[in-house]
Amino acid sequence: MNIFSGLEKIVETNYPLARHTWYGLGGPADYFIRPETVEQLQKIVQRCNENNIRIYVMGFGSNLLISDDGLRAAAIKLEAEKFSQTKFDGEQLTAWAGAELNKLVLDCVQKGLSGIEALTGIPGSVGGAVTMNAGGNFGDIGAAAETVTLMDSGGNIFEKSKPELMFDYRRTNITTKFILNARLKLAAADPEQIIRTVKEIWIYKKNNQPLNTRNCGCIFKNPRGVSAGAMIDRAGLKGLQIGGAIVSNKHANFIIAQKGCKSRDVIRLIEAIKERVKEQFGIELELEIEIWN
Ligand SMILES: Cc1cc2nc3c(=O)[nH]c(=O)nc-3n(C[C@H](O)[C@H](O)[C@H](O)COP(=O)(O)OP(=O)(O)OC[C@H]3O[C@@H](n4cnc5c(N)ncnc54)[C@H](O)[C@@H]3O)c2cc1C
């Protein structure tokens, strides 16, 4: 019997994942699954468990590098309408995992609600942002997140709230497989001021990041108190190229995928950067992006 019988409408096989990543790189997943309801998600997880199929949860793929060989696994993406809902209730916003960050920021601007301006220009989903505690110099999503609704690998749904829920630089203490939604605490503020902040962040990004290229944001985390980009720059690695992957001349912590680039080019360039930075500064750079293989 077909592993996913009855669920064929939402399951695709041998599916090229590249088109669901910002890098546009990587091979096919054995299964690419886009459930439309929580019940379908629970069924999918149950079938995967029964058949020993590994599960990866995808957001918008803006922090992912997928191997050229693809994934012998199921990649589950929560993008259906049910999983992309947002609901404002006074100064509280419940956003489901598949909601888009930049749209949320604009919705908040329109409503005169402050709290997530720091997410301006980050091209991810709420699920990915909570997992990564996305943010930057201007703040992060963890500052606004009060409660998350989670689903574990057994299909059980429960909530986790602060102070049990913790956020740190590009990480959280959530270990549960699925983030279903997040409740964010916002505050009424002067819309003009919120717009000014959003504009300021956009200008900063435009001036400092290689926008309009295929990239994945910062490749490495900043080691405590040091900028990974500045170290890579000081090591003279801007413009270093392996295959179709090149270190950005604008921001040394960005690797751009040029035409013909393969995931393995990016991986080899990552290794070369790590080696040179270790040699020169004695610091082991840690990945911010995730490599799935
Ligand atoms: C041009 C550019 C600029 C960027 N700038 C920034 C920046 O300023 N600050 C910053 O922090 N990041 C930045 N990033 C990186 C990226 O946008 C963030 O990490 C973002 O939060 C990832 O969200 P995503 O939906 O794309 O997640 P994905 O990349 O798809 O996944 C990231 C992680 O989240 C997990 N995940 C996704 N959804 C769920 C879910 N529903 N349940 C459980 N786990 C889930 C995945 O399994 C994976 O572990 C940038 C990326 C790009 C391309």
Side-chain angles (χ1 to χ4, degrees):
M1 196 181 78
N2 179 346
I3 295 172
F4 295 109
S5 66
L7 297 161
E8 291 85 354
K9 206 175 130 231
I10 55 164
V11 179
E12 287 169 275
T13 52
N14 196 27
Y15 186 93
L17 288 179
R19 66 179 73 147
H20 289 274
T21 69
W22 269 68
Y23 255 143
L25 301 175
D30 284 352
Y31 305 99
F32 182 58
I33 308 176
R34 288 177 277 189
E36 287 168 357
T37 62
V38 173
E39 293 69 31
Q40 280 185 349
L41 175 62
Q42 286 168 316
K43 272 190 199 150
I44 290 290
V45 170
Q46 188 190 350
R47 304 276 181 95
C48 287
N49 290 341
E50 286 164 3
N51 293 280
N52 292 319
I53 298 171
R54 265 189 312 157
I55 293 175
Y56 287 91
V57 191
M58 284 188 89
F60 292 173
S62 63
N63 203 47
L64 301 179
L65 179 64
I66 292 169
S67 138
D68 294 317
D69 296 332
L71 304 175
R72 306 293 69 80
I76 300 182
K77 187 166 177 182
L78 304 182
E79 70 168 14
E81 202 182 331
K82 163 75 194 168
F83 292 107
S84 311
Q85 295 175 88
T86 57
K87 187 166 167 266
F88 285 89
D89 183 4
E91 294 184 352
Q92 185 172 284
L93 163 63
T94 303
W96 281 71
E100 189 196 339
L101 296 180
N102 280 302
K103 175 152 190 320
L104 275 192
V105 171
L106 291 180
D107 288 349
C108 288
V109 168
Q110 269 182 356
K111 290 181 186 296
L113 291 170
S114 168
I116 57 167
E117 301 87 290
L119 304 176
T120 301
I122 301 181
S125 66
V126 166
V130 171
T131 304
M132 299 304 303
N133 188 20
N137 296 340
F138 304 90
D140 53 44
I141 195 168
E146 289 284 302
T147 300
V148 289
T149 307
L150 306 170
M151 192 185 105
D152 67 20
S153 318
N156 306 299
I157 295 173
F158 56 95
E159 288 188 350
K160 192 166 176 164
S161 299
K162 280 177 177 164
E164 193 200 351
L165 177 63
M166 287 190 287
F167 293 91
D168 201 346
Y169 171 61
R170 298 296 90 79
R171 64 172 294 278
T172 74
N173 63 345
I174 299 171
T175 51
T176 313
K177 195 79 190 168
F178 297 91
I179 294 164
L180 296 183
N181 64 49
R183 276 212 295 281
L184 308 176
K185 194 169 181 300
L186 309 165
D190 173 14
E192 293 299 321
Q193 178 53 47
I194 307 175
I195 291 171
R196 268 199 297 277
T197 308
V198 167
K199 277 191 182 155
E200 193 189 320
I201 298 175
W202 265 120
I203 291 168
Y204 174 85
K205 299 220 162 187
K206 199 163 160 269
N207 291 336
N208 291 286
Q209 297 182 357
L211 302 183
N212 305 320
T213 63
R214 274 160 63 203
N215 68 71
C216 208
C218 286
I219 296 285
F220 301 103
K221 291 186 181 177
N222 292 323
R224 217 164 265 283
V226 199
S227 152
M231 276 193 292
I232 299 167
D233 190 2
R234 278 169 53 205
L237 300 178
K238 274 186 169 170
L240 181 69
Q241 180 162 5
I242 294 183
I246 183 164
V247 178
S248 164
N249 278 307
K250 197 161 187 183
H251 190 316
N253 201 3
F254 278 57
I255 292 179
I256 295 168
Q258 297 182 323
K259 200 157 180 273
C261 183
K262 295 282 179 197
S263 292
R264 61 177 162 275
D265 299 337
V266 180
I267 292 169
R268 282 169 60 213
L269 191 52
I270 286 172
E271 289 311 320
I273 295 169
K274 283 180 79 167
E275 217 176 289
R276 291 277 286 280
V277 167
K278 180 82 197 289
E279 263 169 32
Q280 189 156 337
F281 302 100
I283 288 177
E284 192 91 47
L285 286 177
E286 194 190 322
L287 283 180
E288 176 169 327
I289 65 160
E290 283 185 31
I291 300 178
W292 286 1
N293 50 35

